[in-house]
Amino acid sequence: MDLTYTAGEERFREELRGWLRSHIPDEWTRPGFWSSLPSEESFQMRRDWEREKALAGFAGIQWPTEYGGRGGTPGMKAIYDEEMVRARAPQTVNPLGLTFLAPTVMAIGTDQQRKEIIGPLLRSEVIWCQGFSEPGAGSDLAALSTRGVRDGDDFVVNGQKVWTTNAVHGDKIFTMVRTEPGSEKHRGISMLLIDMDQPGVEARPLKQMSGASEFGEVFFTDARVPADECLGEIGDGWRTAMLLLSFERGASGVAQYTEFRRQYDEIVSVARALGRDQDPVIRNKLAGVLAELECLRYHAMHVLTQTEQGRDLGFEASMTKLQWSETFQDLWEVFDDVLGPDGTIREPVPGLDLAALHSQAMWSRSVTIWGGSSQVQRSIVAERVLGLPR
């Protein structure tokens, strides 16, 4: 693996750092700032900031310049991810569109779709959400039951999606719909691009145990979508979905390591504030998770090196998801160990507000489920990477 960046990539780092320093107010970086705002205000502030960042040339780092991107290298994208975390920059309001939809449109979209989708998405003028999971089709997405019936030039869509990120803020949704009557499993599914601001589409928020409503559920009741608003071929949506999800494979885990390492330091500070940093059991657990974090760092750099050399990691990407999610969960289990009986108290000692850390700890329980559970990832690695029998 290569642990260094080129001179040009380091110049990009300095340029990005300078822009972030001058465009992120100090108050934005205070723990709990964003959660203290009403959700609509927080979302709009981040949306405006992200548009400004895109117009300044700090978005779509690896995208071709013809699509409004920077035409950068994988190393530049890794630096971008790293510096955004270090600067405590606002989280993107358009994660699924940027990570999944836009690269897929570049690859297989029509000229009209490229023109209408990519630029507005990059500038956060159109917020996209993803309609995959259903109440009866989570990990087994091929069991989906949302249906689209052809009516002239349109599909009439009925069904329900759940765990839809940004559902209540979404302007449009790319969603999997069974469009061929009588089809089963992976066949007869299409990926439709549906306008959410129309009769027959309703998004309802789902409140999480942290109090946030990042997810929602979407109901389609005779919603109409033009048949040409299909990404890829009609009935070939499974292939489109696999291509779309493959664009996560280039992610090396650099951003995750950077964020988790900062969180680790915060947990160590809590241990010191509570006088538990000298407890030999706590120290051993902190050392153990620090070793895990460093393993994640080296794995991230290995993946980045392979990507820069043009290698398609394929099913090995499951190793990255498995490693970062398990490491993240272990990190926050140590946080629980550090707190001990103070785990249910927001401020166990004066001046030590743990609200933001508590929220992260609760969120950590989900990461080994979404995006492919750890059990699913282990099966993929066993069968597709190690060649073990099913």
Side-chain angles (χ1 to χ4, degrees):
M1 75 182 78
D2 186 355
L3 299 178
T4 63
Y5 295 99
T6 67
E9 289 168 345
E10 290 294 353
R11 285 193 296 272
F12 168 73
R13 184 194 299 276
E14 291 305 313
E15 182 185 355
L16 175 61
R17 278 183 177 176
W19 191 89
L20 291 173
R21 278 195 298 266
S22 61
H23 288 81
I24 299 179
D26 289 341
E27 64 175 348
W28 287 14
T29 65
R30 291 202 304 266
F33 170 78
W34 292 104
S35 61
S36 70
L37 301 175
S39 60
E40 289 298 326
E41 181 181 353
S42 169
F43 187 87
Q44 190 58 51
M45 285 174 63
R46 291 187 292 130
R47 187 174 189 170
D48 293 342
W49 185 83
E50 195 156 10
R51 172 178 167 78
E52 184 181 6
K53 177 168 65 68
L55 293 174
F58 294 108
I61 305 302
Q62 273 188 265
W63 293 12
T65 55
E66 64 186 287
Y67 296 123
R70 196 174 181 109
T73 65
M76 289 171 64
K77 177 60 167 61
I79 286 172
Y80 168 85
D81 292 340
E82 187 179 29
E83 293 301 324
M84 289 284 285
V85 172
R86 285 180 172 171
R88 297 181 182 267
Q91 292 185 340
T92 177
V93 295
N94 224 351
L96 297 168
L98 291 167
T99 302
F100 299 122
L101 180 62
T104 308
V105 173
M106 292 179 203
I108 64 170
T110 65
D111 289 340
Q112 187 69 15
Q113 286 172 339
R114 294 186 182 114
K115 178 181 178 182
E116 293 179 352
I117 293 173
I118 296 174
L121 189 160
L122 187 68
R123 298 185 295 272
S124 292
E125 295 165 4
V126 177
I127 303 299
W128 286 86
C129 52
Q130 172 185 316
F132 277 26
S133 296
E134 298 184 3
S139 296
D140 183 14
L141 180 58
L144 65 86
S145 60
T146 297
R147 298 188 178 275
V149 177
R150 192 67 179 259
D151 181 25
D153 293 333
D154 294 345
F155 282 108
V156 179
V157 179
N158 286 275
Q160 178 188 356
K161 299 293 179 177
V162 73
W163 307 124
T164 304
T165 302
N166 272 350
V168 296
H169 293 116
D171 300 305
K172 293 188 176 182
I173 183 170
F174 56 98
T175 187
M176 299 284 277
V177 178
R178 192 169 296 283
T179 52
E180 293 184 7
S183 63
E184 296 181 350
K185 291 295 182 180
H186 308 88
R187 298 181 178 86
I189 296 172
S190 302
M191 185 175 292
L192 301 183
L193 310 174
I194 302 178
D195 186 350
M196 297 186 71
D197 186 20
Q198 64 164 302
V201 181
E202 180 186 4
R204 302 176 189 171
L206 291 171
K207 183 158 286 191
Q208 299 153 231
M209 63 179 177
S210 64
S213 294
E214 180 183 354
F215 303 104
E217 51 188 345
V218 180
F219 296 86
F220 301 106
T221 307
D222 294 334
R224 302 188 75 89
V225 54
D228 60 4
E229 287 294 285
C230 176
L231 185 56
E233 298 295 326
I234 293 174
D236 198 27
W238 192 262
R239 189 193 305 271
T240 303
M242 293 305 99
L243 172 65
L244 181 142
L245 294 174
S246 74
F247 287 109
E248 190 177 28
R249 293 176 181 170
S252 68
V254 171
Q256 286 94 336
Y257 167 77
T258 306
E259 182 175 9
F260 301 168
R261 189 63 175 81
R262 185 183 70 202
Q263 293 169 348
Y264 173 85
D265 292 339
E266 292 174 349
I267 292 171
V268 169
S269 296
V270 170
R272 289 175 177 148
L274 296 176
R276 292 176 185 151
D277 57 315
Q278 297 304 311
D279 183 320
V281 175
I282 295 297
R283 290 174 66 87
N284 186 62
K285 290 182 176 181
L286 285 168
V289 78
L290 180 60
E292 283 189 65
L293 285 167
E294 291 308 302
C295 288
L296 175 61
R297 172 176 176 255
Y298 286 117
H299 176 76
M301 297 305 292
H302 166 72
V303 171
L304 178 59
T305 302
Q306 298 297 303
T307 302
E308 288 189 314
Q309 292 174 354
R311 184 182 170 204
D312 180 6
L313 297 175
F315 294 107
E316 291 183 35
S318 292
M319 296 164 61
T320 300
K321 168 58 166 66
L322 187 61
Q323 186 171 7
W324 78 250
S325 61
E326 296 277 346
T327 299
F328 184 60
Q329 208 164 80
D330 290 346
L331 172 65
W332 290 100
E333 286 178 357
V334 171
F335 174 67
D336 292 336
D337 293 333
V338 167
L339 292 181
D342 291 330
T344 58
I345 303 173
R346 173 170 173 161
E347 192 172 340
V349 296
L352 184 65
D353 189 337
L354 300 179
L357 297 183
H358 279 317
S359 181
Q360 282 291 326
M362 287 188 281
W363 170 252
S364 73
R365 306 315 305 168
S366 71
V367 298
T368 52
I369 301 173
W370 59 260
S373 69
S374 289
Q375 291 84 354
V376 170
Q377 302 301 330
R378 287 190 178 96
S379 293
I380 292 173
V381 172
E383 295 172 18
R384 305 289 185 166
V385 180
L386 301 179
L388 300 176
R390 289 177 63 86

